[in-house]
Amino acid sequence: MHSEAVASRSAEHRDSRESRNGTPHLDSVSLAIIEQLQEDGRRPYAAIGKAVGLSEAAVRQRVQKLLDQGVMQIVAVTDPLTVGFRRQAMVGVNVEGDVENVADALTAMPEVEYVVMTAGSYDLLAEIVCEDDDHLLDVINKRIRALPGVRSTESFVYLKLKKQTYMWGTR
Amino acid sequence: MHSEAVASRSAEHRDSRESRNGTPHLDSVSLAIIEQLQEDGRRPYAAIGKAVGLSEAAVRQRVQKLLDQGVMQIVAVTDPLTVGFRRQAMVGVNVEGDVENVADALTAMPEVEYVVMTAGSYDLLAEIVCEDDDHLLDVINKRIRALPGVRSTESFVYLKLKKQTYMWGTR
DNA sequence: GTCGAGACTTGCGGATTTCGTAGTCTTGGC
DNA sequence: GCCAAGACTACGAAATCCGCAAGTCTCGAC
């Protein structure tokens, strides 16, 4: 009875192998589940099951696995400005030597929300969330610039956040 | 009986006014609720209530209001790479004329995840999520550069995402 | 001083959801 | 051909969600 929304499940039934980079492979059903939870992280398993063509228990197992594997997390997100963090900035970093080491050091800092290695005129981009100007200055000048291997940094202080979505796949 | 975890509630009891920029004011109890949901977006209301010193019903009301006001959203977040979006980039944009207009145009594009106005050598930063190189090229060269007011752009293609958290306040 | 609004608590019952477990089916390895 | 593992279904019990009502408390307006 519940067999729309997903073309052929048996065809991709056994499908939990890993792709070469170690990230787990996601079939279309898991994708559909993620889409449901991107719309509403608290949507009940039964409703999701109806939407993707699975039983409640199956959805529950899949979601649990996705969470355990770290593929997905269900969290509350806010605009930091409304939660009392008044200064944010993106910092471009140039590195000499091993970029990954610096990236790991940045990752370890609680004020750093986001770290990505890039191709272009910076080796790394890091987003920083702070309480005020002093805090921001401290993080950038004292802590980041002091890291071994950091050649130079350039900062972009946020003036206004215009968009922030989490809806990949829902388009 | 349930009066730990929050020092004095009566002191900040009536506290639903708005600050001058239109964003609702958040008291420490709502902050605590948000923290709980940042750890686990599906945590039951009763458990949250126990943690923040409120009844289940009160937590339910507060959460609903926070969602309605748009202060917070509860969603699943993923690493786009594992969900089939193979190319991401940050784009720095320089604008002549009204920056806000360009920001709005970027906001309207589905491939654009994140838009922020900044102080520094770019006027805007935009994060782009695409399926492949062709798609990315198309968005940057055909669509963004074609926007009226865009003077120049610089791109940073993502090589590896190192960190991505949503835990403001939980520190 | 009185009154009304807003936020919270307690209590409740019913609908819904979650959770564990047992059983079925399919697939790949041997 | 047989077996073990993985994914799914089915189902009952426990927990949660949800709406509602009544009563308390505080604050600000009048």
Side-chain angles (χ1 to χ4, degrees):
Chain A
M1 176 232 286
H2 37 53
S3 46
E4 357 66 329
V6 174
S8 157
R9 189 140 24 84
S10 59
E12 56 187 1
H13 193 216
R14 282 295 270 88
D15 210 352
S16 52
R17 52 206 146 70
E18 308 225 336
S19 50
R20 51 220 162 315
N21 53 357
T23 55
H25 179 265
L26 293 182
D27 62 22
S28 64
V29 181
S30 289
L31 254 310
I33 291 174
I34 292 175
E35 277 183 33
Q36 293 288 318
L37 289 170
Q38 278 172 341
E39 286 173 22
D40 174 6
R42 275 183 169 254
R43 186 163 296 169
Y45 296 133
I48 298 172
K50 201 155 301 182
V52 307
L54 242 57
S55 71
E56 175 267 337
V59 174
R60 204 196 322 150
Q61 292 174 84
R62 289 231 190 195
V63 169
Q64 194 54 55
K65 182 173 295 185
L66 289 171
L67 294 173
D68 290 343
Q69 288 174 153
V71 173
M72 162 184 91
Q73 41 183 330
I74 300 176
V75 294
V77 296
T78 60
D79 176 358
L81 273 319
T82 66
V83 197
F85 292 97
R86 316 239 293 255
R87 279 292 174 270
Q88 282 179 270
M90 186 71 74
V91 179
V93 183
N94 278 109
V95 176
E96 52 193 355
D98 189 2
V99 178
E100 199 110 17
N101 282 345
V102 176
D104 289 337
L106 290 173
T107 296
M109 299 182 184
E111 291 90 352
V112 174
E113 265 299 309
Y114 195 73
V115 178
V116 63
M117 299 168 57
T118 62
S121 47
Y122 305 120
D123 297 310
L124 288 171
L125 287 175
E127 189 185 55
I128 303 182
V129 179
C130 288
E131 285 159 37
D132 52 42
D133 287 326
D134 287 342
H135 190 189
L136 180 61
L137 204 61
D138 183 70
V139 171
I140 294 176
N141 283 341
K142 302 279 178 55
R143 315 246 299 278
I144 294 182
R145 288 209 161 118
L147 249 34
V150 170
R151 192 202 307 266
S152 64
T153 68
E154 184 165 4
S155 306
F156 306 92
V157 174
Y158 286 12
L159 299 177
K160 183 173 187 181
L161 183 63
K162 293 289 293 186
K163 182 181 189 179
Q164 183 189 33
T165 49
Y166 307 90
M167 298 258 172
W168 312 291
T170 316
R171 62 186 193 220
Chain B
M1 174 231 288
H2 37 54
S3 45
E4 0 64 330
V6 175
S8 159
R9 190 139 23 84
S10 58
E12 56 188 0
H13 193 218
R14 280 293 273 91
D15 210 353
S16 53
R17 51 206 146 72
E18 308 224 338
S19 51
R20 53 222 164 313
N21 52 358
T23 55
H25 180 264
L26 294 181
D27 62 22
S28 65
V29 181
S30 289
L31 253 309
I33 291 175
I34 292 175
E35 278 184 33
Q36 292 290 315
L37 290 170
Q38 279 173 341
E39 286 174 19
D40 175 7
R42 277 182 168 257
R43 186 163 297 170
Y45 296 133
I48 298 172
K50 200 153 304 183
V52 308
L54 243 56
S55 70
E56 177 267 344
V59 174
R60 208 193 320 152
Q61 293 173 142
R62 288 232 189 191
V63 169
Q64 194 54 54
K65 182 173 297 187
L66 289 171
L67 294 174
D68 290 343
Q69 288 175 153
V71 172
M72 156 185 95
Q73 42 184 330
I74 301 176
V75 294
V77 295
T78 61
D79 176 357
L81 272 319
T82 67
V83 197
F85 292 97
R86 316 242 292 257
R87 280 294 174 270
Q88 280 179 271
M90 186 69 76
V91 179
V93 183
N94 279 109
V95 177
E96 53 193 356
D98 189 2
V99 179
E100 200 112 14
N101 283 346
V102 177
D104 288 337
L106 289 173
T107 297
M109 298 183 186
E111 292 89 350
V112 174
E113 264 300 308
Y114 196 74
V115 177
V116 62
M117 299 169 57
T118 62
S121 48
Y122 305 120
D123 297 311
L124 288 172
L125 286 175
E127 189 184 56
I128 302 181
V129 179
C130 288
E131 285 160 36
D132 52 41
D133 288 325
D134 287 342
H135 190 189
L136 182 60
L137 205 61
D138 183 71
V139 171
I140 295 176
N141 283 341
K142 302 277 176 59
R143 314 247 299 276
I144 295 182
R145 288 208 161 119
L147 250 33
V150 171
R151 192 203 306 266
S152 64
T153 69
E154 184 165 6
S155 307
F156 306 92
V157 173
Y158 285 14
L159 299 177
K160 183 172 187 179
L161 183 64
K162 293 289 293 184
K163 183 181 189 180
Q164 185 190 31
T165 48
Y166 306 90
M167 299 258 173
W168 310 291
T170 315
R171 62 186 194 219

